[in-house]
Amino acid sequence: MQAANDGKAGGEPGSSMGARISTHPFDDDGLREECGVFGAWGCADASAIVALGLHALQHRGQEAAGIVSFDGSEFHAHRAMGHVAGNFDRPEIIAKLSGDAAIGHNRYSTTGETALRNVQPLFADLASGGFAVAHNGNLSNAMTLRRELTRRGSIFQSTSDTEVIIHLVATSEYRTLLDRFIDACKQLEGAWSLACLTPEGLIATRDPLGVRPLVLGRLGQGWIVASETVALDVVGASFVRAIAPGELLVINASGLTSLTPFAPRAPRPCIFEQVYFSRPDSFDGQLSVYEVRKRIGAELAAESPVAADMVVPVPDSGTPAAIGYAQASGIPFELGIIRSHYVGRTFIQPGDSIRHLGVKLKHNANRGLIEGKRLVLIDDSVVRGTTSVKIVQMLREAGAREVHLRVASPPTRHSCYYGVDTPERSKLLAAQLDEEPMRQFIGADSLAFLSIDGLYRALGEPGRNRAAPTHCDACFTGDYPTRLTDRDGAEPAPQLQLVPGGRA
Ligand code: AMP
């Protein structure tokens, strides 16, 4: 089902990594993906455009990247471990990915098996023809669906939750590919922003809660879909609009068709996209992510002021909030930490020891500036606490007199099941410790987090609407907007809908 590293889609499964092949579903990285998706339809050199788009979305996943193209009769695929630039900068690879339609995917995975067979877009030859899918988000019932599909004879080739989508489409009793796809999506629970490539067109859809972002753009006569607006900017496409939660777009030679096949729900986009995950030069609707982060900093300054000589961001993720804090407090903003641009995001490196090492490689204290000074240190979030401990220690060793840590989000107390890799609760510092023991653990002179209401105020709301929150903030509140069938295990296996004929 999943294509080989190079060449025509649908080849033998292959791995240049010599990875261990596991048969246990989701035993490692399958349930923890934070990804970027990008698709182009009706564009000359579609795969080159997709490669550029993926490059702009590299922050969403750095471990593997893939592109599948369609030339009108055949699909072509290239998937590889590593960054987009290292894999798609060779003209011969782009040349092989021919056609004016393509989709691509950036993937992050954690420890254990990082096999090529999990690298997206996944591809299958279905009765209706080729079907490639790129998925951002995470399904909270994938294991349950997989068990049921396996019981009925489906043979899985990867450990990625995304593969259940392919099997649901393949086994649906509906007639047309579109109906089969809709039937499949109706059985998914959790977060799914999908870009799919089929002979019938590019299909893009977002789960009814709109947990992960997905936007629509125009490039000449062609269409683009992307996880974030920054990817439209980078390829020179114009922003058309966000794809609405629960909307399904079909883009083909007949143009663009918008369907709303899923039961509507009040949207709950992920609030952590605003805090950390999205690039600051992206827009979420009318809101610039950069502006939101500055407002977060201003809220933090109002909630947790402190006498200090300078505001210092943990670069780059803390920078916009630190600017907001500095402007609101009147304390000068300074680059007290210098970041090497040749090391990836600390967090996006598997393994605790490497993660520790990564912090040292990535940041260095600007000793001449901070010696003898009282610092307000701003980071966007504290997850395991690894970064904060190292950075505070580094600033003290470089002579800082006081280090006051201000965190531009509430304490992360709960795991995410929707595609942000916040680890199991036992590894979340704020799930284990209250604020004062956390301060001691981190070694800061004072510690304060933004309140959940402050976070919503930064988004332009009066506070968190407890009865009807506008975002998914489960990592901070534990208020999960969907059932967590796999986690809770108590739900009966869903009855796969096998209704032949038209659309349900
Ligand atoms: P930690 O060191 O485990 O406390 O992680 C916090 C640091 O990782 C912060 O500096 C964030 O910028 C970054 N971070 C937080 N959440 C994530 C995530 N889901 N993926 C990647 N990086 C993250």
Side-chain angles (χ1 to χ4, degrees), residues 34 59 108 272 275-277 314-318 345-349 352 355 359 362-363 378-389 391 412 416 419-423 427-429 442:
E34 358 180 354
H59 59 289
Y108 160 72
F272 201 68
V275 169
Y276 170 82
F277 212 45
V314 177
D316 293 324
S317 54
R345 286 184 173 196
T346 309
F347 203 99
I348 305 186
Q349 288 177 14
D352 270 341
R355 203 173 280 117
V359 174
K362 196 166 145 183
H363 296 121
I378 311 272
D379 202 359
D380 63 282
S381 58
V382 171
V383 182
R384 299 174 183 83
T386 315
T387 307
S388 316
V389 168
I391 296 268
T412 303
C416 175
V420 170
D421 176 31
T422 37
K427 293 197 176 146
L428 297 174
L429 192 63
I442 290 169

Side-chain angles (χ1 to χ4, degrees), residues 25-109:
F26 320 120
D27 62 345
D28 39 56
D29 47 359
L31 280 178
R32 296 194 263 173
E33 292 177 12
E34 358 180 354
C35 306
V37 303
F38 190 95
W41 179 271
C43 303
D45 298 322
S47 55
I49 291 164
V50 172
L52 289 170
L54 290 182
H55 192 259
L57 298 172
Q58 188 74 83
H59 59 289
R60 297 185 73 87
Q62 304 183 334
E63 201 156 286
I67 296 177
V68 172
S69 72
F70 180 58
D71 65 10
S73 62
E74 283 190 283
F75 288 81
H76 309 273
H78 182 82
R79 305 177 187 83
M81 309 307 293
H83 288 193
V84 177
N87 287 309
F88 291 99
D89 54 355
R90 281 179 286 150
E92 64 273 18
I93 288 180
I94 295 294
K96 254 191 294 191
L97 298 168
S98 57
D100 66 5
I103 60 170
H105 188 266
N106 279 335
R107 177 167 194 271
Y108 160 72
S109 76

